[in-house]
Amino acid sequence: MNIGIAGLGLIGGSLALALKERHHVTGFDTDPRTRDAARAAGIDVVASLEALIPADAVIVATPMHAVVPTLVLLAPRAGTAVLLDVASVRGPVETFAASAPADCRIVGLHPMAGRSGAGFGAASAELLEGRPFLVVPTARSDTAAMALAGTLARDAGGEVTVCSAAQHDRIVAVLSAVPLTFAAALALTGADTVDGNLASLSGPGFGDSTRLALTSPELGSAMLLANGENVRAALTRARAILDEVDRAIASGDAAALNAILERAAQARRALS
Amino acid sequence: MNIGIAGLGLIGGSLALALKERHHVTGFDTDPRTRDAARAAGIDVVASLEALIPADAVIVATPMHAVVPTLVLLAPRAGTAVLLDVASVRGPVETFAASAPADCRIVGLHPMAGRSGAGFGAASAELLEGRPFLVVPTARSDTAAMALAGTLARDAGGEVTVCSAAQHDRIVAVLSAVPLTFAAALALTGADTVDGNLASLSGPGFGDSTRLALTSPELGSAMLLANGENVRAALTRARAILDEVDRAIASGDAAALNAILERAAQARRALS
């Protein structure tokens, strides 16, 4: 197929590298240096967003704040191209799709993959290998468009899961957004407590617990703000458990603490 | 030197395996199966705690609740043996040492090392390689005893840091105990939200954030309860940052969120 990719950062660049083995991939990025880097890596790069069309599909992989504006530009001129987007929060795209031109087709395709690096320089096909790809229908999805999203996800090395936008946004609030806020709170508390001389004491436990604090602040705050309601609800649930822990410590209740930690260990084993 | 080790679990077993290359190590454990396993691994095992003496040093590496009772038994009969203990909270040992027999010598030797396994079966010399060993003086420490603790830490492959009991307990509250409570809260929130079909969606970010939830519940609750005051103070500080995050999301304040996440990323980089 002919696949256009708008935005050649970590995710868009990785998709381009993974899909070009089986498809003709054309890429665009607003940054000329990114376009040069992608061209040097063997990707067919064009000089404008519009030049990605005609295509069988265009994948919007811009930073999150630009996803809906890019879909707005593409929707009226997409022709038969299916529009896919990798936004890690589905609410805003769902709202746009409901009022998009009647003949356009829009499907969410969110690869649950990441690393602390950013930009095309950090992109690689391996980043996507074996990762879950969430395929999320919108008011402008049909069976053929959903099937195409599934095919591209598998061709990029991913494992397909279909879920609704509401389900998607509840899940990423708990699996990505709240862990980011917890990592940030732990890292800042650590820095307040441990002076420079003792910084070497932080070991793998603290390192793992705070790794997500290395997320790019722009990506992180976009993820938290665009999904605010779900994130706040999940934060409230997680903090209720911290309340329970704090009460058990305050009252010296070893049995209560053991029970919480036992349930938590079971939950962790079930989730990974 | 002749080194006795009381308690041959993950830490005591690893110390025995690491130190027996350069010292004559004698071990004791209350569990006969552990004694058999240690003997099979080439450790010279005795049938009672008292039989560890005479020695140049005895390392108490029992579960935390048994550390002070074991020191109480050893202190009157230690002779010239320096008593070391690996307790990961120093307050209770400090209190005991202040009223221990005047001629005994007690020094804390806490290797900051761990893994999710437990018992002698999970022990290995590699667990301690390159890890920080906190050497903590008590009211019953002298220069020779501190030097001996440092020598054993280095002979076990560790890197020595000397700190006071108060400093130690503040640091482990922030680097170990609060991260455990956060991991437990995240794992439980995840299990409440993500149903069985979607469990496969949790990726490396969530996995790292919740790894400490696999800590043995007994070890975890002992660590939280024995250091309750410091843990609650650190929890309060960490939760104040979550309050800040929650307020910024509620008011849609991207600049405030960016600033928190930027500071957190800097803190994380400085701590690891």
Side-chain angles (χ1 to χ4, degrees):
Chain A
M1 290 189 278
N2 288 308
I3 310 295
I5 301 183
L8 297 170
L10 178 64
I11 298 295
S14 297
L15 284 167
L17 294 168
L19 291 172
K20 81 183 174 69
E21 301 304 317
R22 297 185 183 209
H23 300 282
H24 177 234
V25 171
T26 306
F28 171 69
D29 196 281
T30 53
D31 182 341
R33 284 165 307 183
T34 299
R35 293 202 297 270
D36 290 346
R39 202 177 281 118
I43 294 163
D44 192 357
V45 174
V46 293
S48 75
L49 180 66
E50 291 75 10
L52 295 174
I53 295 169
D56 296 297
V58 177
I59 304 174
V60 177
T62 63
M64 197 149 57
H65 66 87
V67 168
V68 169
T70 305
L71 288 171
V72 167
L73 287 173
L74 290 172
R77 63 193 79 189
T80 56
V82 174
L83 301 178
L84 304 166
D85 78 275
V86 305
S88 59
V89 178
R90 304 307 313 161
V93 174
E94 186 177 53
T95 303
F96 165 69
S99 63
D103 60 348
C104 77
R105 290 179 297 165
I106 303 173
V107 178
L109 180 69
H110 174 205
M112 305 264 291
R115 57 169 61 125
S116 45
F120 188 83
S124 76
E126 291 69 37
L127 180 72
L128 306 172
E129 196 58 49
R131 299 302 309 144
F133 276 54
L134 300 186
V135 174
V136 184
T138 72
R140 292 290 177 276
S141 295
D142 62 18
T143 313
M146 290 292 287
L148 183 147
T151 299
L152 290 184
R154 281 183 290 268
D155 288 349
E159 308 271 350
V160 175
T161 297
V162 176
C163 64
S164 72
Q167 212 174 11
H168 174 283
D169 287 357
R170 268 200 309 277
I171 289 169
V172 297
V174 168
L175 295 185
S176 302
V178 171
L180 165 63
T181 68
F182 273 40
L186 289 176
L188 286 167
T189 305
D192 279 357
T193 308
V194 179
D195 68 28
N197 295 332
L198 298 175
S200 64
L201 300 181
S202 81
F206 187 79
D208 284 352
S209 301
T210 53
R211 182 156 300 119
L212 287 176
L214 296 170
T215 304
S216 124
E218 292 70 30
L219 174 63
S221 53
M223 196 166 82
L224 297 176
L225 288 174
N227 199 16
E229 204 172 311
N230 287 305
V231 173
R232 295 189 71 210
L235 260 178
T236 300
R237 285 201 302 285
R239 298 182 62 171
I241 297 157
L242 295 178
D243 284 335
E244 254 187 89
V245 169
D246 190 54
R247 275 196 303 272
I249 298 174
S251 58
D253 189 342
L257 268 182
N258 269 324
I260 297 168
L261 295 178
E262 185 55 63
R263 279 192 292 129
Q266 279 168 14
R268 172 57 166 74
R269 284 191 290 267
L271 281 168
S272 49
Chain B
M1 289 190 277
N2 288 308
I3 310 295
I5 302 185
L8 297 169
L10 178 64
I11 297 295
S14 297
L15 284 167
L17 294 168
L19 291 172
K20 81 183 174 67
E21 301 305 318
R22 297 186 183 208
H23 300 282
H24 177 234
V25 170
T26 307
F28 171 70
D29 196 281
T30 53
D31 181 344
R33 285 165 307 183
T34 298
R35 292 202 296 270
D36 289 347
R39 201 175 282 117
I43 293 164
D44 192 358
V45 174
V46 293
S48 75
L49 180 67
E50 291 73 11
L52 295 175
I53 294 170
D56 296 294
V58 177
I59 305 175
V60 177
T62 63
M64 197 148 58
H65 66 86
V67 168
V68 169
T70 305
L71 288 171
V72 168
L73 288 173
L74 290 173
R77 64 193 78 188
T80 57
V82 173
L83 301 179
L84 304 167
D85 78 276
V86 304
S88 59
V89 177
R90 304 306 313 162
V93 174
E94 186 178 53
T95 304
F96 164 69
S99 63
D103 60 347
C104 76
R105 289 178 298 162
I106 304 175
V107 179
L109 180 70
H110 173 205
M112 304 262 293
R115 57 170 58 125
S116 45
F120 188 82
S124 77
E126 289 70 36
L127 180 73
L128 306 173
E129 196 58 46
R131 301 299 311 141
F133 276 53
L134 299 187
V135 174
V136 184
T138 71
R140 292 291 176 275
S141 296
D142 61 18
T143 312
M146 290 292 287
L148 182 147
T151 299
L152 291 183
R154 280 183 291 268
D155 288 349
E159 309 272 351
V160 174
T161 297
V162 176
C163 63
S164 73
Q167 211 175 11
H168 175 282
D169 287 358
R170 267 200 312 276
I171 288 170
V172 297
V174 168
L175 296 184
S176 302
V178 172
L180 165 63
T181 68
F182 272 41
L186 288 176
L188 286 167
T189 306
D192 280 356
T193 308
V194 179
D195 68 28
N197 295 331
L198 298 176
S200 64
L201 300 181
S202 81
F206 186 78
D208 284 351
S209 302
T210 53
R211 182 156 302 119
L212 286 175
L214 297 170
T215 304
S216 126
E218 291 68 30
L219 174 61
S221 54
M223 196 166 81
L224 297 176
L225 287 174
N227 198 15
E229 204 173 311
N230 286 304
V231 174
R232 294 189 71 211
L235 259 179
T236 300
R237 283 200 304 285
R239 297 183 62 170
I241 296 158
L242 295 178
D243 284 334
E244 253 188 90
V245 168
D246 190 55
R247 276 196 302 272
I249 299 174
S251 58
D253 189 342
L257 269 181
N258 270 324
I260 297 168
L261 296 177
E262 184 56 62
R263 278 191 293 131
Q266 279 168 14
R268 172 56 165 75
R269 284 191 291 265
L271 281 168
S272 48

